[in-house]
């Protein structure tokens, strides 16, 4: 970044802001319709959008029927386009408008692409519906009937004309768009499918689309699926309520999807004009296309179709010198949806994926018992809950769960009490096994200073305890013909926060290895909120959720009931590190972009949606804090922890991008350097520029 202000600008991070408009209109009144369109164009430019899309035949109205054969209306449409052209000279905005155009004696239903007083191209509609209420072949010719590939219009000559036009920004290589019109999306293979394979990241649909009961849901399905299949952004706008209601009605349905996810939507049946905005992530689309290699295979398969596209290159002026944060909603917790219904659905799936994985492993091995270490912390709590449900599914008694809490030198009274209470209320076979004597023997064999009364709490001291716990669990499993159930989670694996080999790194089956720490907290909350295991269990689970996260390997004050170690003070807040983990492993983003997204999400606790977290536990972070913990993440993830992930036990994949198994989502060398990521992080500012502190955070 050349300046700190530029860092806080979405266009510097490969976002583009787009607008979709539904102008107020009058049937067969191009002058009025042009004025309404220009008003929305101006509003879009004021909000720093770079592209605005308007409805099919919007300069005349779609419902003109045989009036389209009147020269007066056709001439009026061209006059309206001239006015749009003139208005565009003063706006840094690509505008896409619909109008009827007579070309070589034929009439076409067209999209005109306008920028800074120039017509970049004109795209005619490919597929014309002529069934039920539609009679477009009565007035229009399909794009394939065109006998020329350039036209003269509004005093400009050699304007590209045709159905296979790609518009490519020279100074933003990922910004490439294609236009299709209404019915083009409703056919088995929409033109936009081939356009996406040819490189278009944004697909634009000028539609009219009268409304009938339930049709808006079908539109959603069409647009969502096309954007997902094409790994693209899809902008869609239908005609508004100003269209003729002689035989039809209109709801002004506009929406924007990105790779199957709804980003923005208009209010339906709105009287008058409306304009919606969406900040689209071009990096997201490019990264997905690179990773999903079947996309590239499809491009190879359809290469003859792709070669037919014409690329229209142009320079676009991006508003990069101002502070411009994302308006788009991003979840602070990418693994945990803020919407309650969605969150409950995801928790149900995650919980049952884990249960199914464990049930299958037990059935395959013929083992009926589980050995598990229970610390009273989040991870072992959730693993124990999953184990209890697995026993229920298999119709085994829960006493087949051999649960061991193993206090050592730093175990707090609070967590020990939680562990004992949980084992009791779940009905498993509970044991308390004091590992201090065996740890002391190991430390004595090592001649460690702690044995001689010195308060030396180094990594050896910590790992002796972790190792002794794991050693006991495996020997107990041998003794009882049981399976050791691992409890470590995805976040710990990412940060290398586990003891390698004979430690919490190893087990027979690592049930939580694909579940991040933030999701584990909500899975436990979901078990409580949905009363999965009864009120008695829920009371214990609430106490565990309120406990500070700690490895409890370093002794604290003698009379303290709380842990001396605070994990998050060492490796960073899990809520931030899970954010970093998601965008690094799922999308491979630049650290600068991840920091920008984190700042948009985490800078102000009072803004945006939260999942079910009490207000007093809602945190916010400065850009300096975000940068610091991202440095910690990058160093630990890329440089010092991969060797642990290269040999992790089996575990079921739970979420998209939620596995670091070398047999699953993530394969990486154990001896890579973190330099290139740390160098990129160094470009993140430490503070917000002073001249921006008083400005509104989100434009």
């Amino acid at each position: 970044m050349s300046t700190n202000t530029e860092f806080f600008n979405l266009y510097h991070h490969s976002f583009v802001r787009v607008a979709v408009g539904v102008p107020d209109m009058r049937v067969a009144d191009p002058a009025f319709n042009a004025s309404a369109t220009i008003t929305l164009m101006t509003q879009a430019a004021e909000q720093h959008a770079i592209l605005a899309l308007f409805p099919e035949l919007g300069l005349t109205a779609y419902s003109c029927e045989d009036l389209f054969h009147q020269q007066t209306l056709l001439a009026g449409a061209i006059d309206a386009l001239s006015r749009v052209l003139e208005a565009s000279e003063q706006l840094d905005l690509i505008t896409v408008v619909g109008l009827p155009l007579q070309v070589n004696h034929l009439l076409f239903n067209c999209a005109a692409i306008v920028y800074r007083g120039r017509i970049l191209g004109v795209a005619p509609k490919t597929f014309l519906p002529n069934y039920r209420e539609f009679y477009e072949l009565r007035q229009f010719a399909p794009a394939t009937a065109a006998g020329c590939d350039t036209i003269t219009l509004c005093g400009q000559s050699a304007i590209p004309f045709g159905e296979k036009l790609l518009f490519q920004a020279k100074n933003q290589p990922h910004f490439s768009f294609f236009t299709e019109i209404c019915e083009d999306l409703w056919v088995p293979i929409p033109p936009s499918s081939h356009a996406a394979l040819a490189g278009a990241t944004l697909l634009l649909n000028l539609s009219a689309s009268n409304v009938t009961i339930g049709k808006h849901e079908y539109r959603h399905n069409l647009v969502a699926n096309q954007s997902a299949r094409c790994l693209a952004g899809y902008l869609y706008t239908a005609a508004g309520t100003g269209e003729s209601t002689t035989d039809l009605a209109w709801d002004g349905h506009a929406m924007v999807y990105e790779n199957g996810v709804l980003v923005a939507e208009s209010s339906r049946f709105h009287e008058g004009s409306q304009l919606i905005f969406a900040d689209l992530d071009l990096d997201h689309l490019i990264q997905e296309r690179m990773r999903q290699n079947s996309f590239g295979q499809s491009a190879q398969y359809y290469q003859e179709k792709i070669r037919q596209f014409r690329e229209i290159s142009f320079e676009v002026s991006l508003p990069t010198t101002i502070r411009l944060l994302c308006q788009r909603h991003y979840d602070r917790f990418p693994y945990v949806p803020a919407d309650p219904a969605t969150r409950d659905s995801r928790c149900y799936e995650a919980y049952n994926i884990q249960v199914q994985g464990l049930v299958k492993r037990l059935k395959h091995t013929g083992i009926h018992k589980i050995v598990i270490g229970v610390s009273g912390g989040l991870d072992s709590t959730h693993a124990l809950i999953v184990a209890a449900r697995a026993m229920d599914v298999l119709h085994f008694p829960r006493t087949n769960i051999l649960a061991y809490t193993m206090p050592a030198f730093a175990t707090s009274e609070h967590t020990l009490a939680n562990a004992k209470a949980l084992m009791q209320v779940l009905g498993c076979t509970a044991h308390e096994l004091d590992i201090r004597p065996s740890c002391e023997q190991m430390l004595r064999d090592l001649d460690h200073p702690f044995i001689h009364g010195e308060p030396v709490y180094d990594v050896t001291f910590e790992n002796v305890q972790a190792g002794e716990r794991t050693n006991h669990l495996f020997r107990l499993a041998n003794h009882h013909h049981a399976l050791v159930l691992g409890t470590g989670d995805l976040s710990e694996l990412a940060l290398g926060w586990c003891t390698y080999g004979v430690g919490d790194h190893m087990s027979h089956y690592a049930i939580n290895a694909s579940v991040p720490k933030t999701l584990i907290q909500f899975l436990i909350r979901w078990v409580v909120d949905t009363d999965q295991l009864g009120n008695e269990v829920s009371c214990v689970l609430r106490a565990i959720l309120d406990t500070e996260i700690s490895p409890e390997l370093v002794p604290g004050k003698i009379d303290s009931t709380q842990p001396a170690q605070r994990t998050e003070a060492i490796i960073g807040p899990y809520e931030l590190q899970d954010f970093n983990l998601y965008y690094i492993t799922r999308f491979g983003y630049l650290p600068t972009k991840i920091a920008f997204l984190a700042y948009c999400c985490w800078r102000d606790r009072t803004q945006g949606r939260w999942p079910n977290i009490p207000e007093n536990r809602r945190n916010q972070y400065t850009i300096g804090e975000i940068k610091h913990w991202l440095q910690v993440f990058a160093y630990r993830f890329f440089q010092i922890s991969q060797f642990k992930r290269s040999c992790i036990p089996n575990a079921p994949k739970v979420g998209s991008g939620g596995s670091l198994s070398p047999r699953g989502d993530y394969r990486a060398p154990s001896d890579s350097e973190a330099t290139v990521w740390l160098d990129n992080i160094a470009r993140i500012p430490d503070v917000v520029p002073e001249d921006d502190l008083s400005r509104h955070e989100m434009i």
Side-chain angles (χ1 to χ4, degrees):
M1 307 295 157
S2 56
T3 68
N4 283 359
T5 298
E6 288 177 347
F7 173 85
F8 297 98
N9 182 291
L10 62 90
Y11 285 97
H12 273 288
H13 301 282
S14 291
F15 284 93
V16 290
R17 179 166 294 171
V18 298
V20 180
V22 183
D24 192 13
M25 66 160 54
R26 294 176 182 170
V27 178
D29 191 346
F32 177 88
N33 298 336
S35 295
T37 299
I38 290 167
T39 298
L40 293 186
M41 289 168 57
T42 303
Q43 293 174 14
E46 288 172 349
Q47 294 299 313
H48 308 291
I50 194 60
L51 183 149
L53 174 70
F54 295 97
E56 177 182 14
L57 296 169
L59 294 183
T60 57
Y62 173 83
S63 52
C64 290
E65 300 191 271
D66 284 352
L67 296 182
F68 285 124
H69 287 165
Q70 294 289 321
Q71 288 183 327
T72 306
L73 182 63
L74 298 181
I78 293 175
D79 290 341
L81 179 61
S82 296
R83 290 184 56 197
V84 169
L85 267 177
E86 183 180 359
S88 75
E89 292 178 0
Q90 307 303 317
L91 304 175
D92 285 324
L93 180 75
I94 301 161
T95 302
V96 183
V97 294
L99 75 161
L101 279 180
Q102 188 175 2
V103 178
N104 292 344
H105 317 297
L106 297 177
L107 187 63
F108 295 93
N109 178 345
C110 294
I113 295 84
V114 171
Y115 181 59
R116 296 293 262 174
R118 289 175 52 213
I119 302 175
L120 299 179
V122 176
K125 187 172 183 176
T126 301
F127 296 99
L128 304 181
N130 222 61
Y131 56 87
R132 299 193 185 99
E133 64 264 45
F134 304 110
Y135 299 92
E136 288 188 30
L137 281 174
R138 178 181 175 94
Q139 289 98 25
F140 298 103
T144 52
C148 60
D149 58 12
T150 63
I151 59 174
T152 297
L153 183 62
C154 297
Q156 299 179 26
S157 59
I159 298 169
F161 179 75
E163 59 179 320
K164 296 183 183 298
L165 304 181
L166 282 183
F167 298 88
Q168 173 67 61
K170 293 179 182 178
N171 52 331
Q172 170 45 284
H174 297 165
F175 182 39
S176 177
F177 65 89
F178 171 81
T179 62
E180 60 188 4
I181 302 176
C182 200
E183 186 74 10
D184 292 343
L185 176 61
W186 296 64
V187 300
I189 304 178
S192 56
S193 297
H194 294 137
L197 296 175
T201 50
L202 302 186
L203 309 174
L204 283 50
N205 190 303
L206 304 82
S207 186
S209 192
N210 63 296
V211 64
T212 54
I213 294 172
K215 189 174 182 179
H216 77 286
E217 296 172 350
Y218 194 73
R219 292 191 201 115
H220 269 298
N221 291 335
L222 281 175
V223 175
N225 278 282
Q226 185 67 354
S227 73
R229 283 195 305 271
C230 293
L231 301 175
Y234 202 103
L235 286 62
Y236 177 96
T237 180
T241 55
E243 289 280 359
S244 171
T245 57
T246 300
D247 291 297
L248 303 172
W250 315 84
D251 62 345
H253 193 193
M255 57 187 138
V256 180
Y257 273 82
E258 179 184 292
N259 193 21
V261 175
L262 180 65
V263 181
E265 184 179 12
S266 67
S267 299
R268 297 170 60 227
F269 302 105
H270 178 84
E271 289 295 326
S273 297
Q274 60 176 321
L275 190 66
I276 63 172
F277 294 91
D279 296 337
L280 297 181
D281 185 351
L282 300 181
D283 279 343
H284 175 199
L285 305 173
I286 296 300
Q287 287 292 98
E288 289 294 86
R289 290 179 178 187
M290 178 184 70
R291 291 179 179 220
Q292 189 172 310
N293 60 356
S294 54
F295 184 89
Q297 293 171 34
S298 295
Q300 184 178 15
Y301 186 83
Y302 290 104
Q303 56 186 307
E304 292 301 321
K305 291 279 189 182
I306 291 172
R307 289 194 185 105
Q308 298 171 16
F309 282 86
R310 284 183 284 165
E311 183 175 284
I312 293 96
S313 298
F314 63 100
E315 291 278 350
V316 61
S317 178
L318 301 173
T320 56
T321 59
I322 60 172
R323 179 185 177 86
L324 191 65
L325 300 183
C326 279
Q327 290 181 338
R328 176 175 175 177
H329 166 75
Y330 278 93
D331 281 323
R332 289 176 171 88
F333 298 85
Y335 297 103
V336 185
D339 175 67
T342 305
R343 185 170 65 248
D344 285 350
S345 174
R346 298 282 175 84
C347 286
Y348 166 82
E349 283 193 306
Y351 180 62
N352 282 283
I353 287 169
Q354 291 181 278
V355 170
Q356 191 274 326
L358 181 56
V359 166
K360 170 62 180 177
R361 182 52 54 99
L362 291 170
K363 289 170 70 175
H364 173 72
T365 59
I367 293 174
H368 293 182
K369 294 181 179 179
I370 289 172
V371 163
I372 182 173
V374 182
S375 67
L378 294 172
D379 294 345
S380 63
T381 293
H382 182 60
L384 185 55
I385 291 170
V386 171
R389 179 58 185 153
M391 289 296 167
D392 295 345
V393 171
L394 289 166
H395 303 292
F396 295 162
R398 290 187 184 174
T399 51
N400 281 18
I401 303 172
L402 311 180
Y404 294 84
T405 186
M406 293 177 279
F409 303 116
T411 303
S412 68
E413 295 178 9
H414 184 68
T415 56
L416 182 61
N418 283 344
K420 289 180 178 179
L422 183 63
M423 293 187 294
Q424 180 181 356
V425 296
L426 281 176
C428 52
T429 302
H431 302 270
E432 181 179 346
L433 184 59
D434 188 345
I435 63 168
R436 284 174 294 185
S438 59
C439 289
E440 288 171 350
Q441 182 60 53
M442 175 68 76
L443 292 167
R444 191 174 295 110
D445 292 343
L446 297 174
D447 195 27
H448 191 276
F450 177 78
I451 288 299
H452 304 295
E454 299 179 36
V456 176
Y457 308 129
D458 57 8
V459 68
T460 302
F461 178 81
E462 294 186 25
N463 285 350
V464 161
Q465 297 169 79
E468 281 301 302
R469 287 190 173 108
T470 302
N471 189 30
H472 276 77
L473 292 175
F474 271 97
R475 301 298 74 80
L476 287 163
N478 293 155
H479 185 59
H480 295 286
H481 188 59
L483 179 148
V484 175
L485 190 64
T487 62
D489 63 52
L490 180 68
S491 308
E492 293 175 341
L493 283 171
L495 293 159
W497 194 247
C498 55
T499 301
Y500 183 77
V502 184
D504 54 327
H505 166 260
M506 192 50 60
S507 64
H508 288 128
Y509 199 64
I511 196 63
N512 289 337
S514 183
V515 185
K517 185 77 75 177
T518 48
L519 179 55
I520 281 182
Q521 297 179 49
F522 280 93
L523 284 168
I524 296 172
R525 285 193 177 97
W526 175 79
V527 170
V528 171
D529 293 342
T530 57
D531 198 29
Q532 295 287 313
L533 299 169
N535 183 63
E536 194 175 7
V537 175
S538 294
C539 289
V540 177
L541 295 180
R542 289 190 187 96
I544 292 170
L545 286 167
D546 290 337
T547 303
E548 182 83 55
I549 299 172
S550 170
E552 295 197 325
L553 296 173
V554 173
K557 297 178 181 179
I558 295 176
D559 59 349
S560 176
T561 61
Q562 294 294 327
Q565 282 176 297
R566 294 180 60 245
T567 294
E568 292 177 297
I570 302 170
I571 61 174
Y574 276 116
E575 58 193 14
L576 264 189
Q577 300 298 37
D578 278 359
F579 189 95
N580 296 332
L581 170 64
Y582 180 80
Y583 286 103
I584 281 178
T585 59
R586 181 65 182 83
F587 300 115
Y589 284 165
L590 289 169
T592 46
K593 178 163 186 161
I594 296 170
F596 173 75
L597 286 173
Y599 182 73
C600 290
C601 291
W602 287 98
R603 72 191 185 284
D604 186 348
R605 67 169 63 91
T606 66
Q607 299 296 314
R609 296 185 299 170
W610 285 83
N612 186 23
I613 292 178
E615 286 194 19
N616 64 345
R617 299 185 70 173
R618 296 180 179 183
N619 299 313
Q620 65 185 34
Y621 300 97
T622 66
I623 189 62
E625 291 170 322
I626 289 167
K627 178 180 180 178
H628 169 71
W629 292 121
L630 187 53
Q631 285 175 318
V632 171
F633 182 93
Y635 179 73
R636 296 188 68 96
F637 183 83
F638 289 108
Q639 183 139 340
I640 68 171
S641 301
Q642 181 57 38
F643 77 98
K644 296 181 180 181
R645 299 188 291 268
S646 293
C647 56
I648 59 176
N650 294 172
K653 178 179 175 180
V654 172
S656 175
S659 172
L660 293 175
S661 168
R663 302 170 299 276
D665 280 11
Y666 193 76
R667 299 162 181 80
S670 296
D671 46 10
S672 66
E673 301 291 333
T675 307
V676 67
W677 288 273
L678 295 174
D679 287 348
N680 184 263
I681 291 171
R683 302 172 64 190
I684 301 168
D686 295 299
V687 296
V688 179
E690 289 187 9
D691 58 346
D692 284 333
L693 288 176
S694 62
R695 294 192 56 184
H696 195 277
E697 293 284 7
M698 191 176 292
I699 299 176

